[in-house]
Amino acid sequence: DSQRKKIEAEAAAIRDKGQSAVAIAVDVTDAEQVDNLVANTVMEFGALDIIVNNAGRWGRSHLAEETPLDEWRQVVDQNLTGVFIPCMAAGRQMIKQQSGKIINISSVVFWIDEIKTTSNLFNKIEREKLDIVIASRFLQKSQIKDLINLALNSVRCPVIV
């Protein structure tokens, strides 16, 4: 609920400056919520031009053999499924409108020794592979000649800001 209030305040601040903004809180691991987000965005603005996947979480520091399975599943669900679902939903819309940009923000985990936990390293590597798979599938399904203006990029973040 506090997150919802924060995004509503940000949207209000943007509107106060004369720009358009809508605040929609979404669980990125819930496909129905993400589909509704895309539909509401298209209804409000006429198209979905860009999506930035930046949701993610760190697991606790565990050795591989000590990592609790429920924690592993939560980290994988948030960091991988939570990227894949928005890419699918946005990708369907962008293919339909024949344009759009998908940007996936990668993790700092790979560069910071003290947080090299098993689940975090796995997610970092798999998230970058996921970008490649999604991009190739969109292009294959969509006939590359028809999708001159669709891009999928991963931004690596080597430092904590």
Side-chain angles (χ1 to χ4, degrees):
D1 199 39
S2 67
Q3 290 294 342
R4 182 180 306 275
K5 288 179 183 176
K6 286 180 186 178
I7 66 168
E8 287 172 357
E10 287 297 322
I14 292 168
R15 286 190 299 269
D16 287 346
K17 294 178 182 174
Q19 301 297 315
S20 298
V22 178
I24 305 171
V26 173
D27 175 353
V28 293
T29 66
D30 183 320
E32 186 176 342
Q33 286 186 35
V34 175
D35 286 341
N36 289 336
L37 171 68
V38 170
N40 287 333
T41 300
V42 172
M43 189 173 17
E44 181 73 23
F45 298 104
L48 178 63
D49 297 323
I50 188 167
I51 184 170
V52 178
N53 282 312
N54 192 36
R57 67 177 294 254
W58 292 356
R60 292 188 206 102
S61 293
H62 298 288
L63 297 173
E65 67 275 14
E66 296 172 2
T67 301
L69 191 53
D70 62 331
E71 181 178 320
W72 169 267
R73 287 184 173 136
Q74 290 171 1
V75 172
V76 168
D77 198 36
Q78 180 74 44
N79 293 351
L80 295 179
T81 307
V83 171
F84 186 65
I85 290 172
C87 284
M88 286 188 336
R92 286 190 296 266
Q93 176 61 35
M94 291 173 179
I95 288 167
K96 191 183 308 180
Q97 66 192 35
Q98 296 191 342
S99 68
K101 308 285 186 272
I102 297 173
I103 299 172
N104 292 328
I105 305 297
S106 188
S107 174
V108 301
V109 169
F110 203 70
W111 293 275
I112 301 175
D113 287 337
E114 57 269 17
I115 57 172
K116 286 188 176 179
T117 66
T118 305
S119 58
N120 288 334
L121 281 175
F122 170 79
N123 279 284
K124 156 86 175 104
I125 294 163
E126 292 307 308
R127 196 164 176 165
E128 291 189 3
K129 283 193 220 172
L130 185 62
D131 289 345
I132 295 165
V133 170
I134 291 169
S136 65
R137 287 298 186 194
F138 283 172
L139 294 176
Q140 180 183 32
K141 179 178 168 68
S142 310
Q143 306 291 332
I144 193 165
K145 62 182 172 50
D146 295 333
L147 269 183
I148 296 168
N149 197 24
L150 178 63
L152 174 78
N153 300 100
S154 180
V155 176
R156 294 180 181 179
C157 297
V159 295
I160 297 177
V161 178

